[in-house]
Amino acid sequence: NAGVMQNPRHLVRRRGQEARLRCSPMKGHSHVYWYRQLPEEGLKFMVYLQKENIIDESGMPKERFSAEFPKEGPSILRIQQVVRGDSAAYFCASQLGLQETQYFGPGTRLLVL
Amino acid sequence: RKEVEQDPGPFNVPEGATVAFNCTYSNSASQSFFWYRQDCRKEPKLLMSVYSSGNEDGRFTAQLNRASQYISLLIRDSKLSDSATYLCVVNSMTEKLTFGTGTRLTIIP
């Protein structure tokens, strides 16, 4: 059973460009979470999705950030008009059901020049 | 006040020693508690869940004190491979995990 997959593993963008981060959950998992880890800081919750639904987006910045988890395909975290402060590691986690263990993907390291 | 607080360390400990990490959380409604381990530039990996009765997994022992809102992790007979950052993690009814900033541990040969 493959683990959580994320791609790309590394992404370099210039200020003002768009960044698209993809996450494929473990087989059978329908709960997906996105977390962000700024340099030298702990992980911070961003958004919780189930198939075709955003359940909790309380950790998402109000502008430029969006997330989706379509019926088919991976979950996408989209950052429009990136700024240097968006440079961070973005981790996706998937979960089989409520109160089950969350398993993390290897992360996407975004660098904004 | 941070929701989950940990001593950031670093802890530099000789191989074979015992090391203890502490963590406090502010939300009394928190339901689930965990220790995760994160190696440098890697993803967090679940080390163990923490239960009120205390639980042990080999060299690792975790304790939870709900009254004091305090969680601990004890590592006995530490090994070089234990070097990592240890993350105290709390889960409320909303499912999202709240992470402490982590305690960095280095085991010295």
Side-chain angles (χ1 to χ4, degrees):
Chain A
N1 186 11
V4 178
M5 299 175 69
Q6 290 187 247
N7 65 81
R9 296 289 302 275
H10 300 273
L11 183 61
V12 180
R13 286 285 178 267
R14 296 191 181 281
R15 282 178 296 170
Q17 292 184 318
E18 178 180 287
R20 278 182 182 249
L21 288 62
R22 286 176 289 278
C23 169
S24 297
M26 289 177 71
K27 188 176 181 181
H29 288 197
S30 60
H31 302 249
V32 166
Y33 303 79
W34 285 93
Y35 294 85
R36 176 166 68 174
Q37 187 172 31
L38 293 168
E40 302 302 320
E41 292 190 17
L43 279 79
K44 295 281 193 278
F45 167 80
M46 299 182 75
V47 62
Y48 164 32
L49 309 105
Q50 293 180 26
K51 283 286 187 182
E52 299 184 277
N53 288 304
I54 296 174
I55 308 302
D56 181 349
E57 57 181 346
S58 58
M60 289 279 270
K62 293 287 185 284
E63 296 176 348
R64 304 186 297 109
F65 284 72
S66 62
E68 63 177 8
F69 189 16
K71 188 176 179 181
E72 302 290 337
S75 175
I76 307 285
L77 179 68
R78 182 182 178 205
I79 311 173
Q80 294 178 287
Q81 299 171 1
V82 296
V83 301
R84 288 213 175 114
D86 297 333
S87 296
Y90 292 82
F91 290 100
C92 166
S94 77
Q95 185 186 45
L96 180 62
L98 295 177
Q99 295 293 307
E100 298 277 348
T101 300
Q102 292 184 25
Y103 294 91
F104 283 80
T108 294
R109 279 169 176 77
L110 172 66
L111 175 63
V112 179
L113 301 177
Chain B
R1 183 185 173 187
K2 290 181 181 177
E3 289 187 66
V4 179
E5 293 207 58
Q6 295 181 249
D7 182 341
F11 283 41
N12 299 315
V13 173
E15 193 174 4
T18 295
V19 60
F21 301 135
N22 303 317
C23 167
T24 57
Y25 60 96
S26 61
N27 185 353
S28 59
S30 298
Q31 297 289 314
S32 308
F33 309 89
F34 311 91
W35 285 100
Y36 276 73
R37 168 194 169 129
Q38 186 174 27
D39 292 284
C40 187
R41 301 187 65 78
K42 300 282 190 182
E43 73 273 24
K45 291 186 177 176
L46 179 65
L47 181 65
M48 57 197 305
S49 301
V50 188
Y51 305 111
S52 296
S53 54
N55 49 300
E56 188 174 310
D57 182 3
R59 299 182 293 108
F60 299 83
T61 301
Q63 295 276 354
L64 167 64
N65 184 322
R66 284 188 182 269
S68 303
Q69 296 180 200
Y70 171 92
I71 307 163
S72 66
L73 176 68
L74 187 76
I75 306 175
R76 292 181 300 277
D77 187 23
S78 54
K79 304 195 182 301
L80 295 177
S81 58
D82 294 334
S83 296
T85 297
Y86 289 82
L87 306 171
C88 179
V89 184
V90 171
N91 191 352
S92 68
M93 286 297 291
T94 62
E95 291 296 319
K96 59 189 180 187
L97 298 180
T98 301
F99 285 78
T101 52
T103 300
R104 190 172 295 178
L105 173 67
T106 301
I107 305 300
I108 304 165

